[in-house]
PDB file of all heavy atoms in Angstrom:
ATOM      1  N   MET G   1      64.808 -34.010 -51.134  1.00 51.00           N
ATOM      2  CA  MET G   1      64.603 -32.863 -50.274  1.00 51.00           C
ATOM      3  C   MET G   1      65.680 -31.831 -50.525  1.00 51.00           C
ATOM      4  O   MET G   1      66.839 -32.170 -50.669  1.00 51.00           O
ATOM      5  CB  MET G   1      64.616 -33.274 -48.831  1.00 51.00           C
ATOM      6  CG  MET G   1      63.632 -34.329 -48.463  1.00 51.00           C
ATOM      7  SD  MET G   1      62.984 -33.895 -46.874  1.00 51.00           S
ATOM      8  CE  MET G   1      61.819 -35.199 -46.723  1.00 51.00           C
ATOM      9  N   ALA G   2      65.290 -30.581 -50.541  1.00 54.00           N
ATOM     10  CA  ALA G   2      66.210 -29.495 -50.822  1.00 54.00           C
ATOM     11  C   ALA G   2      67.213 -29.296 -49.722  1.00 54.00           C
ATOM     12  O   ALA G   2      68.335 -28.891 -49.954  1.00 54.00           O
ATOM     13  CB  ALA G   2      65.461 -28.209 -51.075  1.00 54.00           C
ATOM     14  N   GLY G   3      66.882 -29.541 -48.484  1.00 54.00           N
ATOM     15  CA  GLY G   3      67.760 -29.339 -47.361  1.00 54.00           C
ATOM     16  C   GLY G   3      68.929 -30.290 -47.302  1.00 54.00           C
ATOM     17  O   GLY G   3      69.902 -30.063 -46.593  1.00 54.00           O
ATOM     18  N   GLN G   4      68.881 -31.432 -48.024  1.00 65.00           N
ATOM     19  CA  GLN G   4      69.941 -32.420 -47.952  1.00 65.00           C
ATOM     20  C   GLN G   4      71.201 -31.960 -48.634  1.00 65.00           C
ATOM     21  O   GLN G   4      72.270 -32.446 -48.331  1.00 65.00           O
ATOM     22  CB  GLN G   4      69.453 -33.708 -48.600  1.00 65.00           C
ATOM     23  CG  GLN G   4      68.392 -34.404 -47.782  1.00 65.00           C
ATOM     24  CD  GLN G   4      67.888 -35.622 -48.506  1.00 65.00           C
ATOM     25  OE1 GLN G   4      68.015 -35.744 -49.739  1.00 65.00           O
ATOM     26  NE2 GLN G   4      67.316 -36.583 -47.748  1.00 65.00           N
ATOM     27  N   HIS G   5      71.122 -31.053 -49.582  1.00 72.00           N
ATOM     28  CA  HIS G   5      72.290 -30.615 -50.319  1.00 72.00           C
ATOM     29  C   HIS G   5      73.071 -29.486 -49.648  1.00 72.00           C
ATOM     30  O   HIS G   5      74.073 -29.062 -50.139  1.00 72.00           O
ATOM     31  CB  HIS G   5      71.894 -30.159 -51.716  1.00 72.00           C
ATOM     32  CG  HIS G   5      71.226 -31.263 -52.503  1.00 72.00           C
ATOM     33  ND1 HIS G   5      71.910 -32.381 -52.931  1.00 72.00           N
ATOM     34  CD2 HIS G   5      69.950 -31.434 -52.914  1.00 72.00           C
ATOM     35  CE1 HIS G   5      71.065 -33.180 -53.570  1.00 72.00           C
ATOM     36  NE2 HIS G   5      69.863 -32.632 -53.564  1.00 72.00           N
ATOM     37  N   ARG G   6      72.567 -29.037 -48.515  1.00 67.00           N
ATOM     38  CA  ARG G   6      73.261 -27.963 -47.792  1.00 67.00           C
ATOM     39  C   ARG G   6      74.235 -28.573 -46.810  1.00 67.00           C
ATOM     40  O   ARG G   6      74.047 -29.684 -46.296  1.00 67.00           O
ATOM     41  CB  ARG G   6      72.238 -27.094 -47.040  1.00 67.00           C
ATOM     42  CG  ARG G   6      71.307 -26.366 -47.997  1.00 67.00           C
ATOM     43  CD  ARG G   6      70.246 -25.595 -47.300  1.00 67.00           C
ATOM     44  NE  ARG G   6      70.861 -24.521 -46.506  1.00 67.00           N
ATOM     45  CZ  ARG G   6      70.166 -23.765 -45.690  1.00 67.00           C
ATOM     46  NH1 ARG G   6      68.885 -23.952 -45.484  1.00 67.00           N
ATOM     47  NH2 ARG G   6      70.778 -22.807 -44.995  1.00 67.00           N
TER      48      ARG G   6
END
Side-chain angles (χ1 to χ4, degrees):
M1 304 219 177
Q4 291 177 337
H5 300 292
R6 296 176 65 187

